[in-house]
Amino acid sequence: SGTTRPMRILHYVQRSAKCGDVLSVISAIDSFCSKVEWAMNVGDKKGEILDAVVLETRPRYVLELGTYCGYSTMRIARLLPPGARLITIEMNSHYAQVAKELFQHAGLDAQDKSAEKRPAGPTCKVELLLGSSSVLIPQLKKKLDIDKFDLVFIDHWKVSYLPDTRLLEECGLLKSGSVLLADNVTCPGAPDYLEYVRNSPRYRSQYFPSQLEYLQVEDGVEKSVFLG
Ligand SMILES: CNc1ncnc2c1ncn2[C@@H]1O[C@H](/C=C/CNC(=O)c2cc(-c3ccc(F)cc3)cc(O)c2O)[C@H](F)[C@H]1O
Ligand SMILES: [Mg+2]
């Protein structure tokens, strides 16, 4: 089959979502993935929890680990005030390319930060970094002039949740009050991460029960506030 699932999502969105309308892109992805083909977007149910945490945190600096097709990137970006920065890290160049084309359809001014010829400073809200989080996280302060993140949305390989959280701490990218929001802590699960944030005195953690995207299966997201 010549096409990939992300490509089929992109083609459906290009055919059926209104250009420049990020909400219509988000709902087109949700209808495709609930009616035609499942995909690992955070989805509309857990997406509402994500929305609520973004609105409550009012973050200026946001990091997302695991862009995939950019569904949650768009959910977050649409709620950020001008001047806020959303950095999303994706190691798979095909997924990154699809995400960029979805951002374009949605009219989100997104920039591929890995491209050398970029204007100085953040001219746009979404900055897509191509590469592995373990390599890029230690470079964020220097390369992107980022000091601390107010909100981190964690949705990449589940075995990487804990090591990357430790890395964020070690790189001094979290401040007292920084919020980590982790997808899939029930399904597929991230047991070592949960054990850490729920038992560490440096976090105040809260579980939000929900359902796995597009299915009647239990899942949930974990919100953990870094206490410094
Ligand atoms: C490790 N460092 C990385 N750096 C940059 N990009 C990365 C890195 N690691 C992965 N990526 C990038 O992040 C994405 C990976 C998302 C993984 N997500 C899931 O597996 C996941 C799975 C299910 C699921 C549930 C039930 C079931 F029956 C089957 C599947 C549900 C979910 O919501 C998920 O998020 C992308 F693919 C990869 O390139
Ligand atoms: Mg997920």
Side-chain angles (χ1 to χ4, degrees):
S1 75
T3 64
T4 65
R5 181 169 307 183
M7 281 161 84
R8 294 192 286 274
I9 292 173
L10 175 62
H11 296 156
Y12 180 85
V13 165
Q14 289 171 333
R15 269 200 324 272
S16 53
K18 200 161 147 272
C19 275
D21 181 343
V22 66
L23 272 178
S24 91
V25 170
I26 290 168
S27 59
I29 296 171
D30 283 333
S31 72
F32 180 81
C33 294
S34 40
K35 284 182 270 181
V36 183
E37 198 173 354
W38 187 90
M40 59 182 175
N41 316 118
V42 74
D44 47 349
K45 286 199 177 77
K46 290 184 289 178
E48 285 177 16
I49 302 169
L50 171 61
D51 292 355
V53 171
V54 173
L55 290 170
E56 164 194 60
T57 312
R58 300 171 54 79
R60 195 167 153 62
Y61 293 95
V62 185
L63 175 66
E64 174 179 64
L65 301 179
T67 314
Y68 187 46
C69 295
Y71 173 90
S72 46
T73 323
M74 291 186 277
R75 281 200 83 108
I76 296 167
R78 85 188 204 281
L79 299 177
L80 296 181
R85 292 178 71 186
L86 169 46
I87 315 294
T88 184
I89 295 177
E90 175 53 60
M91 70 200 287
N92 179 307
S93 57
H94 174 60
Y95 296 159
Q97 183 54 38
V98 168
K100 266 195 311 196
E101 295 186 40
L102 284 166
F103 298 155
Q104 274 161 9
H105 194 89
L108 268 181
D109 54 346
Q111 204 168 326
D112 176 349
K113 274 285 177 178
S114 36
E116 284 322 302
K117 57 194 182 310
R118 62 179 177 270
T123 56
C124 71
K125 195 172 281 182
V126 178
E127 299 160 66
L128 173 51
L129 301 187
L130 184 60
S132 166
S133 52
S134 53
V135 170
L136 292 173
I137 285 173
Q139 299 176 354
L140 291 176
K141 285 199 183 230
K142 227 178 17 269
K143 276 179 81 169
L144 293 190
D145 192 27
I146 300 265
D147 184 21
K148 314 270 188 197
F149 286 105
D150 305 300
L151 173 64
V152 183
F153 181 58
I154 310 172
D155 193 21
H156 57 340
W157 298 147
K158 308 317 163 195
V159 293
S160 304
Y161 281 28
L162 181 53
D164 280 354
T165 296
R166 306 287 288 137
L167 189 56
L168 286 166
E169 292 169 3
E170 282 146 28
C171 295
L173 285 162
L174 302 179
K175 64 179 178 20
S176 174
S178 292
V179 173
L180 306 184
L181 191 67
D183 189 25
N184 310 117
V185 295
T186 297
C187 176
D192 59 341
Y193 173 82
L194 269 194
E195 200 274 332
Y196 178 71
V197 290
R198 288 177 174 174
N199 296 301
S200 162
R202 304 182 74 187
Y203 291 91
R204 187 183 63 252
S205 229
Q206 183 183 1
Y207 178 66
F208 292 83
S210 185
Q211 286 182 327
L212 187 62
E213 49 267 29
Y214 318 116
L215 294 173
Q216 306 275 328
V217 169
E218 160 133 23
D219 190 17
V221 295
E222 187 87 357
K223 176 190 169 192
S224 307
V225 182
F226 186 63
L227 303 174

